[in-house]
Amino acid sequence: MSLKVGDVISFERSFTKEDIELFTKVSGDEGNHHLTPDEEGRLMVQGLLTATLPTKVGGDHNVMARTMNFEFLRPVFSKDTIICDVEIEQYEKLANNRTAIAASFSCKNQLGKEVLIGGFSGVILPS
Protein backbone atom coordinates (compact mmCIF):
# COMPACT_ATOMS: atom_id res chain seq x y z
CA MET A 1 0.00 0.00 0.00
CA SER A 2 1.38 3.39 -0.98
CA LEU A 3 0.85 6.05 1.66
CA LYS A 4 0.25 9.77 1.27
CA VAL A 5 -0.19 12.75 3.57
CA GLY A 6 -3.69 12.74 5.03
CA ASP A 7 -4.17 8.97 4.91
CA VAL A 8 -5.67 7.49 8.06
CA ILE A 9 -4.92 3.89 8.91
CA SER A 10 -7.35 2.38 11.44
CA PHE A 11 -7.32 -0.93 13.24
CA GLU A 12 -8.44 -2.37 16.54
CA ARG A 13 -7.35 -4.90 19.08
CA SER A 14 -8.80 -6.42 22.25
CA PHE A 15 -6.33 -7.22 25.00
CA THR A 16 -6.57 -10.51 26.89
CA LYS A 17 -5.30 -11.57 30.28
CA GLU A 18 -2.83 -13.82 28.42
CA ASP A 19 -1.49 -10.83 26.44
CA ILE A 20 -0.81 -8.98 29.69
CA GLU A 21 0.81 -12.01 31.35
CA LEU A 22 3.11 -12.59 28.35
CA PHE A 23 4.07 -8.91 28.15
CA THR A 24 4.76 -8.96 31.90
CA LYS A 25 7.24 -11.81 31.39
CA VAL A 26 8.89 -10.19 28.35
CA SER A 27 9.08 -6.64 29.75
CA GLY A 28 9.59 -7.32 33.45
CA ASP A 29 6.86 -4.71 34.16
CA GLU A 30 5.40 -6.51 37.18
CA GLY A 31 3.50 -3.72 38.91
CA ASN A 32 0.73 -5.04 41.16
CA HIS A 33 -1.85 -3.27 38.99
CA HIS A 34 -0.82 -5.59 36.11
CA LEU A 35 -0.90 -8.76 38.24
CA THR A 36 -3.91 -8.27 40.51
CA PRO A 37 -7.41 -8.18 39.02
CA ASP A 38 -9.61 -5.21 39.89
CA GLU A 39 -13.11 -5.54 41.38
CA GLU A 40 -14.41 -6.44 37.91
CA GLY A 41 -11.78 -9.17 37.44
CA ARG A 42 -9.79 -7.18 34.87
CA LEU A 43 -6.04 -6.66 34.66
CA MET A 44 -4.59 -3.29 33.70
CA VAL A 45 -2.69 -3.39 30.40
CA GLN A 46 0.88 -2.05 30.51
CA GLY A 47 1.19 1.31 28.79
CA LEU A 48 3.86 0.06 26.43
CA LEU A 49 1.68 -2.90 25.46
CA THR A 50 -1.06 -0.42 24.56
CA ALA A 51 1.58 1.54 22.61
CA THR A 52 2.11 -1.45 20.32
CA LEU A 53 -1.06 -0.43 18.50
CA PRO A 54 0.35 2.62 16.68
CA THR A 55 3.74 0.97 16.25
CA LYS A 56 2.00 -1.72 14.17
CA VAL A 57 1.90 0.80 11.32
CA GLY A 58 5.70 0.91 11.44
CA GLY A 59 5.90 -2.85 11.20
CA ASP A 60 3.41 -2.97 8.36
CA HIS A 61 5.34 -0.36 6.34
CA ASN A 62 9.00 -1.13 7.18
CA VAL A 63 9.47 2.06 9.22
CA MET A 64 12.67 2.55 11.18
CA ALA A 65 11.47 4.92 13.91
CA ARG A 66 13.60 7.84 15.04
CA THR A 67 11.15 9.37 17.51
CA MET A 68 8.04 8.16 19.31
CA ASN A 69 5.89 10.21 21.67
CA PHE A 70 3.19 8.70 23.84
CA GLU A 71 0.71 10.41 26.16
CA PHE A 72 -1.24 7.89 28.23
CA LEU A 73 -4.61 9.45 29.08
CA ARG A 74 -6.48 6.68 30.89
CA PRO A 75 -5.95 3.03 31.76
CA VAL A 76 -6.69 0.14 29.44
CA PHE A 77 -7.92 -3.16 30.87
CA SER A 78 -8.15 -6.74 29.72
CA LYS A 79 -11.18 -7.25 27.49
CA ASP A 80 -11.08 -3.59 26.35
CA THR A 81 -11.16 -3.09 22.60
CA ILE A 82 -8.92 -0.26 21.46
CA ILE A 83 -9.41 1.44 18.11
CA CYS A 84 -6.28 3.17 16.81
CA ASP A 85 -6.31 5.84 14.09
CA VAL A 86 -2.90 6.79 12.64
CA GLU A 87 -2.80 9.85 10.37
CA ILE A 88 0.13 10.32 8.00
CA GLU A 89 1.42 13.89 8.34
CA GLN A 90 4.63 13.60 6.30
CA TYR A 91 5.53 11.22 3.50
CA GLU A 92 8.49 12.48 1.51
CA LYS A 93 10.91 10.67 -0.79
CA LEU A 94 14.56 11.23 0.17
CA ALA A 95 17.63 11.15 -2.03
CA ASN A 96 18.99 7.93 -0.49
CA ASN A 97 16.10 5.69 -1.68
CA ARG A 98 14.34 6.12 1.65
CA THR A 99 11.13 7.89 2.54
CA ALA A 100 10.65 10.21 5.51
CA ILE A 101 7.45 9.57 7.43
CA ALA A 102 5.73 11.25 10.36
CA ALA A 103 2.33 10.45 11.81
CA SER A 104 0.07 11.26 14.72
CA PHE A 105 -2.27 8.81 16.38
CA SER A 106 -5.27 8.56 18.65
CA CYS A 107 -6.35 5.37 20.39
CA LYS A 108 -9.86 5.12 21.86
CA ASN A 109 -11.54 2.43 23.91
CA GLN A 110 -14.85 0.79 23.08
CA LEU A 111 -16.62 3.66 24.87
CA GLY A 112 -15.04 6.22 22.53
CA LYS A 113 -12.73 7.64 25.23
CA GLU A 114 -9.16 8.47 24.23
CA VAL A 115 -6.65 6.32 26.08
CA LEU A 116 -3.45 7.15 24.18
CA ILE A 117 -2.31 9.91 21.83
CA GLY A 118 1.02 10.73 20.30
CA GLY A 119 3.13 10.55 17.21
CA PHE A 120 6.17 9.05 15.56
CA SER A 121 8.65 9.87 12.85
CA GLY A 122 11.33 7.97 11.00
CA VAL A 123 12.24 6.60 7.62
CA ILE A 124 10.80 3.84 5.51
CA LEU A 125 13.55 1.47 4.50
CA PRO A 126 13.58 0.09 0.95
CA SER A 127 12.13 -3.40 0.69
Side-chain angles (χ1 to χ4, degrees), residues 17 20-21 33-37 41-45 76-78:
K17 181 180 173 193
I20 297 163
E21 290 169 346
H33 49 293
H34 302 307
L35 304 174
T36 306
R42 308 172 303 170
L43 293 177
M44 186 183 297
V45 177
V76 173
F77 295 93
S78 55

Side-chain angles (χ1 to χ4, degrees), residues 29 32 39 41 46 67 73 75 80-81 87 98 106 118-119:
D29 184 350
N32 285 337
E39 60 280 347
Q46 290 90 342
T67 66
L73 303 174
D80 281 353
T81 298
E87 182 173 355
R98 293 182 179 187
S106 170

